[in-house]
């Protein structure tokens, strides 16, 4: 799918954000090899640390629909910020485990401009399952 279409869908996902505390809605779209799109938005809580980022909501939702990492093509992240919306450190760790290494990550700014990144760009030298052996 074209990046501009993914950005449009990620903006639609942003409308599902529950972010009364930060007032910073984030939308995410996972593009799957079968053509499906899975949305995520940040879901906050009055107990602030329990909040969950848009990226993790989308990735966990994909798992619950039965998808595996190799089914994912790309992740697009949008927010109303001047800078590109980069995933936080916790999400980078989850992305590195739940997305295939060749997947693309599009970080979008409020003007709809984007950076195309790899998982290794975001989290080089990641801790992984192999390190647990
Ligand atoms: N947030 C995301 O959902 N994704 C990001 O990439 C950055 C931050 C959320 C977490 C919190 O609900 C709000 O944005 C402000 O940090």
């Amino acid at each position: 799918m074209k990046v501009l279409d993914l950005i449009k869908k990620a903006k639609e996902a942003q409308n599902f954000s529950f972010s009364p505390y930060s007032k910073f809605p984030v939308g995410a779209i996972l593009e799957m090899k079968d053509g499906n799109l899975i949305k995520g938005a940040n879901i906050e809580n009055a107990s602030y640390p329990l909040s969950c980022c848009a990226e993790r909501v989308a990735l966990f939702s994909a798992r619950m629909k039965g998808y595996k990492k190799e089914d994912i093509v790309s992740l697009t992240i949008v927010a109303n910020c001047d800078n590109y919306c980069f995933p936080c450190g916790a999400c980078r760790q989850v992305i590195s485990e739940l997305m295939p290494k060749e997947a693309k990550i599009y970080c979008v700014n409020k003007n709809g401009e984007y950076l195309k990144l790899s998982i290794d760009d975001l989290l080089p030298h990641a801790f992984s399952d192999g390190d647990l052996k």
Side-chain angles (χ1 to χ4, degrees):
M1 194 176 225
K2 288 186 193 137
V3 184
L4 289 186
D5 292 328
L6 293 170
I7 292 172
K8 193 171 161 230
K9 291 291 180 184
K11 283 183 177 161
E12 287 173 22
Q14 200 182 5
N15 291 323
F16 289 79
S17 169
F18 177 68
S19 45
Y21 307 107
S22 71
K23 301 187 181 1
F24 186 78
V26 182
I29 279 291
L30 272 177
E31 178 190 16
M32 314 308 289
K33 283 188 182 155
D34 66 5
N36 268 338
L37 299 176
I38 295 173
K39 61 180 178 291
N42 52 331
I43 309 290
E44 298 184 347
N45 192 280
S47 176
Y48 298 167
L50 300 184
S51 304
C52 192
C53 293
E55 297 91 322
R56 274 177 284 159
V57 169
L59 283 164
F60 296 161
S61 175
R63 294 293 305 187
M64 292 311 296
K65 290 176 196 293
Y67 287 109
K68 300 286 186 284
K69 69 192 293 183
E70 57 273 15
D71 301 321
I72 302 174
V73 179
S74 71
L75 171 65
T76 302
I77 309 155
V78 303
N80 307 328
C81 55
D82 295 336
N83 194 11
Y84 303 104
C85 188
F86 295 112
C88 75
C91 285
R92 292 178 196 213
Q93 180 66 29
V94 172
I95 286 168
S96 79
E97 180 139 354
L98 296 186
M99 287 180 63
K101 63 177 172 21
E102 69 277 7
K104 300 294 172 239
I105 299 166
Y106 300 107
C107 300
V108 187
N109 69 16
K110 69 177 184 198
N111 299 323
E113 298 152 341
Y114 65 90
L115 280 187
K116 177 181 177 180
L117 299 171
S118 69
I119 292 164
D120 202 48
D121 292 330
L122 288 169
L123 190 66
H125 311 294
F127 179 77
S128 71
D129 59 340
D131 297 313
L132 296 172
K133 296 193 176 104

